Amino acid sequence: ELTERLGDVFSRSMALNSLSFVQLEAGEHAGALEAIERSEEIYRERMETGGESEGWRATLRARALIGLGRAAEALAEAERAAETARRRGMNWQLPPALLALAQARAATGGEGIVEALEEAAAVARRHDHRLAMARIEAQREALMAAAAR
C-alpha cells in the first residue's frame, strides 16, 4: 500500500526490493517472495527490460525460494541472477548472486558450490565489498561442508 503512494516505478520497485531484503533477513521467506515478485511485476509492466536491479531482484527471489525449500527453482533463478549481473558488469550485484548460486547448488546437491563461492569472494575482494565478504565468510563453512558431501 505504501509503495503505491510513492508514484514512480523505480521508487516503488526499490521499496519492494528493500522490503524483500528485510523479510529475508527476518526469515520471512514467503513474504519476501511475494514482495520481490511484486517488484518484478511493477518494473516489467512499465519498462521493457529488467533494468539495473534485475540481477538483484533475481538474487532476492533465489534466496526466498531457497528458504521455502524450492531448491530447483532457486537454482535456476540464482543462475539467471549471476549471469545477468556478470553480463551487465553490475559488480555490486555479482557477489550476492554468486553466494545465492552456491547456496542453491548446496540445496540441490549440485556441483560447483566451491567455484561459485570462490568467485563471489574474489569479486567482493577486488571491489572492496566488505558487507558481501562478511556474508560470504559467514556462509563459507556450511557451504564447504555441503560441497564435501
Side-chain angles (χ1 to χ4, degrees):
E1 179 183 323
L2 290 175
T3 61
E4 298 299 320
R5 290 189 273 170
L6 288 173
D8 69 283
V9 67
F10 180 80
S11 296
R12 291 171 59 206
S13 179
M14 289 304 290
L16 287 164
N17 294 352
S18 296
L19 175 61
S20 179
F21 180 83
V22 169
Q23 288 176 314
L24 285 169
E25 294 300 302
E28 298 171 10
H29 300 103
L33 182 61
E34 183 180 325
I36 204 60
E37 287 181 342
R38 180 69 181 128
S39 174
E40 182 75 11
E41 179 184 318
I42 287 169
Y43 201 92
R44 295 241 181 219
E45 279 177 2
R46 298 282 181 139
M47 312 305 260
E48 293 191 13
T49 69
E52 65 287 330
S53 294
E54 180 179 16
W56 180 237
R57 288 191 306 272
T59 298
L60 294 173
R61 186 168 189 276
R63 288 182 57 200
L65 290 167
I66 291 167
L68 292 170
R70 294 165 56 184
E73 290 174 82
L75 179 58
E77 194 70 5
E79 288 171 343
R80 186 173 77 82
E83 187 278 324
T84 299
R86 190 180 288 113
R87 178 174 34 86
R88 293 188 177 172
M90 302 296 275
N91 292 316
W92 70 271
Q93 293 175 9
L94 189 53
L98 289 165
L99 179 57
L101 180 58
Q103 293 166 328
R105 286 176 174 169
T108 60
E111 295 184 8
I113 297 166
V114 173
E115 293 81 358
L117 187 64
E118 292 306 321
E119 184 182 356
V123 173
R125 274 192 301 276
R126 188 169 50 249
H127 296 284
D128 198 27
H129 293 174
R130 295 177 189 173
L131 179 58
M133 273 309 303
R135 288 180 173 280
I136 291 163
E137 292 308 317
Q139 294 291 315
R140 183 177 294 279
E141 188 176 328
L143 290 170
M144 294 304 274
R149 289 186 220 145

